[in-house]
Amino acid sequence: MDQLQEFVDALSDEECWERLAGQKLGRLVTHVKDVLDIFPVNFVVDDGTIVFRTAPGSKLFELTVNDEVLFEADDHDDDDAWSVVVRGHARVLDTTEEVRAADALPLHPWIPTLKYHYVRIEPVMVSGRAFARKPEPDRYGIAEY
């Protein structure tokens, strides 16, 4: 385990939010009864929450049936990688004031579809890990005892 800790660091809440704020694409996980679904969504970080847009369909239906969601975003380069998971509750923004504020965010659909529904994920917990990318150790060499 000590060898693993050499390459993996837990991120603070602040570091998690900084990394999320630098990304535009994440994954939303919904859960209704025995069905788990995962959806790619483009998003923005807004005041310690995650906001995305969606159209009517299974994603919107599922998060209104069960508002408990997971959200994940990650990134990597040749030397490092990271992943952040947000556990929280998703809520469709429905007041004129909320929608007007969301309209002002830099959030636009990536594909040419009309997405009138804004959803905000209010976090309950945020966790993240950063990884140093290194070559895999020799799996077939002589084991140390």
Side-chain angles (χ1 to χ4, degrees), residues 67-133:
D67 73 345
E68 293 180 300
V69 297
L70 292 175
F71 180 85
E72 192 269 347
D74 53 47
D75 199 7
H76 73 281
D77 60 26
D78 289 340
D79 300 315
D80 300 294
W82 61 266
S83 174
V84 171
V85 174
V86 177
R87 296 176 190 273
H89 298 276
R91 182 176 65 80
V92 177
L93 304 183
D94 56 5
T95 69
T96 301
E97 184 178 304
E98 289 175 321
V99 171
R100 188 172 293 137
D103 274 338
L105 296 172
L107 182 59
H108 307 286
W110 283 16
I111 58 174
T113 58
L114 296 175
K115 296 184 177 183
Y116 291 116
H117 302 279
Y118 287 100
V119 176
R120 182 179 303 274
I121 299 173
E122 302 278 351
V124 171
M125 188 199 75
V126 178
S127 63
R129 301 285 181 269
F131 310 90
R133 297 183 66 198

Side-chain angles (χ1 to χ4, degrees), residues 2 5-6 11-13 21 32 44 48 52 60 68 71 82 84 97 107 117 121 125 128 132 145:
D2 294 337
Q5 290 175 339
E6 178 182 341
L11 298 173
S12 68
D13 286 359
V32 176
V44 295
F52 64 91
L60 186 61
E68 293 180 300
F71 180 85
W82 61 266
V84 171
E97 184 178 304
L107 182 59
H117 302 279
I121 299 173
M125 188 199 75
Y145 294 98

